Amino acid sequence: MLTVFELALRSMRQNMKHYYLYFFALTFSMSLYFVFTSLQHDQAVQNMTHPSVDFSGGLQIAGVMLIVIIGIFTLSANGIFLRRRSREIGLFQLIGLSKGWVARYLMIENILIGLGALLAAIICGPIISRMFVLILLNLLDLEGIVGISFSVTAAFKTVMVYFLINVITSIQMIQKVYRSTLLDLFQADKRPDLTKPPKAVASAIFALLGLALIGYGYELSGHINKQLFVNALLMLGSIVAGTYLLFRVTIRWCFYLFRKRKDGHLGLTNSLSMAPLMHHTKANANSLTLITLLSAMTITMISMAYSFYYSVEQETRRDLPYDFMFENEQQEALSFQSELEEEGIDVKHHVVEAVLTQGVILDPNDESYKFEESLLWLPAEQLKQTGADVDMPPDGEAILYNAGASLSGDLDKRYPTEIELEQHGQTIKYTLRTVMERNIMNLDASGTQLLVSEATMDKIAEQMAGTPDYQKIHFDTYQVRDKEELAIASALYAKSVSLDRLTEDFYSQYKEVLQMTGMLIFIAAFLGLVFLISTGSILYFKQMTEAEQEKQSFKTLRQLGFDVNMIMKGIIRKQAIVFLLPLSIGLLHSIFAIKASSFMIRSDTMIPASIAMSIYTVIYFVFALFTIGYYRNIVKNAIS
């Protein structure tokens, strides 16, 4: 007589064709968790990164997110498998086996699958970890040799995650066995009765409400940076609620209208595509909503991370137009230049004389705004000699240069405005024509950067001389001609500047931000890949279950004279709708989510977002092909 363990082992071998994708997804997820945990404790990689990059903290947060993803995926997949095996569970109880025996049988099978995934993750982990380290070093623009190593700490944490997942899924199985009656188990795959139409008025109201909520969320995305926290919550809440209603009511209502228009005569193709969707859309509303929202979140996360990484050099140059800059440090500048010459580094050196005063930039939207700040008046003629791309303002007018201007709200309503200077009890006004979203002097220069003509600056110097905080500023700017020599020049600059002054140079800032964004895209890309595999697998499992339920229909169609290709036309259309519907809505959600968060990135996000969306779509398409292939095998076996 077979034991519970032997029966579970035999069942697992027989059902492996159904579990292989689940096994792969679970193995990949746990391998990735092992890799992240290994990297978190890898001191060799941490020593290569910039001290300001929170390497360990970023991977720790990624590990926690990965546990959440694995938990959601395993619960969803296990729920599908339990529903699919409801009749089997019922038969076990019908022949006299106790609920405790059935629960133990299911738990042993689940433990064996999870244990296989765990062992595969830990065995393959060190090799995968090395591959990931090479990818990470390439993203961070670091050079180094990292050997294959096994982290006992990472293995232990991965085992703990395995036990946690097993506990959660075991509880799910116990609830399924003990809370379900025999009638529930044998009718688990029964389709709802769709002969009665949905309630017309209620369905129409909720269908329109779902669309209205999504539209409201999209509308908020255009000005989310105003009252950021409140608008972000409203946008998220309305889109989540609207998406749920869309799948729960709106789409089903559209299917019903289509069926009514056809007067019930759908034909073969529509019967195989539209009818199953009408049966399952309401029941699958929760999972389709989750898949759509996870897809949107994943695409947004990857797109934003890639946008940050993609625009690092451009963004750094907005902040630091010169490779190196000295402010009122002529001696240090001369020392730095002599060291560059000793190293044979060719550099362009220019001097810019500026004026620093106190003043007020008026806000046309708030006349009471009178905040006095340091104003740095920079002459356009001298800046042009350094190679800067600047316009020449008319005499008496200024242009504000501020790389972070977009973060301060609607710029169109704030400019033009006026600048007020107090000179010995008198108020002098200058026109501030517009703002440019970049700097004309490096970020660490004193004061708000204002571009004026040299004649205007000389006039301001004459008027403000003798006032408090008035100061003449001497800038030494340097541009290295050969960018390959920037690293050496940056090291020399760090030794030349005063220790009591916070300084920034282009190369060190670029490397620091590149590593931060490289870490971000590394984490986002692989978490996104797990999201994608998980959501694609859940859709695959659901369609696999529906394919098994439709076997008898395929046999009937064969008896009526339909062949495999004719049946597959309707199935392919169904899969196109099943996969494209959550994907297209998720893509649409992500477009507006990227729009909402684009105020954080000053560069164009279109190219990075398009690349991320294209890759996501291609991988989703692969899952659709797997599903169609599985359906084809079911149809062939059913009609043979």
Side-chain angles (χ1 to χ4, degrees), residues 162-392:
Y162 160 73
F163 279 118
L164 175 64
I165 297 301
N166 262 290
V167 168
I168 295 172
T169 50
S170 295
I171 293 171
Q172 187 183 22
M173 290 173 176
I174 292 170
Q175 287 180 333
K176 176 70 174 179
V177 173
Y178 279 89
R179 290 187 177 181
S180 301
T181 64
L182 281 175
L183 186 62
D184 294 333
L185 292 170
F186 281 103
Q187 292 186 343
D189 58 352
K190 184 179 178 181
R191 294 183 178 184
D193 182 17
L194 292 183
T195 55
K196 294 182 180 179
K199 295 179 181 179
V201 177
S203 294
I205 291 172
F206 283 110
L208 293 174
L209 179 61
L211 295 174
L213 285 170
I214 293 174
Y216 176 65
Y218 288 172
E219 195 274 332
L220 279 177
S221 68
H223 46 82
I224 197 170
N225 56 330
K226 301 173 183 177
Q227 296 182 319
L228 179 61
F229 182 74
V230 175
N231 283 343
L233 283 180
L234 286 173
M235 176 184 168
L236 182 63
S238 62
I239 287 179
V240 169
T243 304
Y244 177 75
L245 289 175
L246 184 70
F247 285 111
R248 179 82 178 178
V249 181
T250 310
I251 293 173
R252 181 167 173 256
W253 177 253
C254 291
F255 285 153
Y256 168 73
L257 291 178
F258 177 81
R259 183 167 177 253
K260 185 178 178 181
R261 186 179 177 185
K262 292 284 185 178
D263 198 24
H265 304 295
L266 297 177
L268 176 65
T269 303
N270 288 329
S271 295
L272 289 171
S273 57
M274 305 294 285
L277 292 173
M278 293 173 69
H279 284 288
H280 293 288
T281 300
K282 186 176 180 180
N284 293 339
N286 291 339
S287 58
L288 289 173
T289 301
L290 180 64
I291 289 169
T292 301
L293 295 175
L294 286 178
S295 298
M297 186 181 74
T298 303
I299 296 168
T300 303
M301 180 176 66
I302 296 173
S303 299
M304 292 303 295
Y306 186 41
S307 296
F308 279 119
Y309 183 79
Y310 182 84
S311 60
V312 168
E313 184 173 0
Q314 185 180 351
E315 294 291 297
T316 307
R317 190 56 79 183
R318 283 174 183 261
D319 293 330
L320 303 161
Y322 300 102
D323 291 334
F324 308 99
M325 184 200 76
F326 292 86
E327 181 180 330
N328 287 343
E329 293 178 323
Q330 287 96 320
Q331 194 63 40
E332 289 84 349
L334 289 173
S335 174
F336 173 64
Q337 190 167 351
S338 63
E339 290 190 29
L340 290 176
E341 291 171 356
E342 288 176 12
E343 291 288 338
I345 298 175
D346 188 14
V347 65
K348 292 192 297 183
H349 170 231
H350 290 280
V351 173
V352 177
E353 301 288 348
V355 170
L356 186 68
T357 69
Q358 288 290 307
V360 174
I361 298 178
L362 301 178
D363 186 349
N365 302 316
D366 185 4
E367 295 182 0
S368 63
Y369 181 84
K370 292 285 184 178
F371 180 74
E372 194 172 51
E373 56 187 304
S374 295
L375 304 177
L376 182 64
W377 305 85
L378 292 151
E381 290 88 343
Q382 294 182 36
L383 288 170
K384 279 182 174 290
Q385 291 177 6
T386 70
D389 180 19
V390 294
D391 296 325
M392 177 66 68

Side-chain angles (χ1 to χ4, degrees), residues 395-412:
D395 289 343
E397 292 188 5
I399 299 173
L400 172 64
Y401 279 78
N402 182 0
S406 59
L407 299 176
S408 60
D410 193 347
L411 301 179
D412 293 336

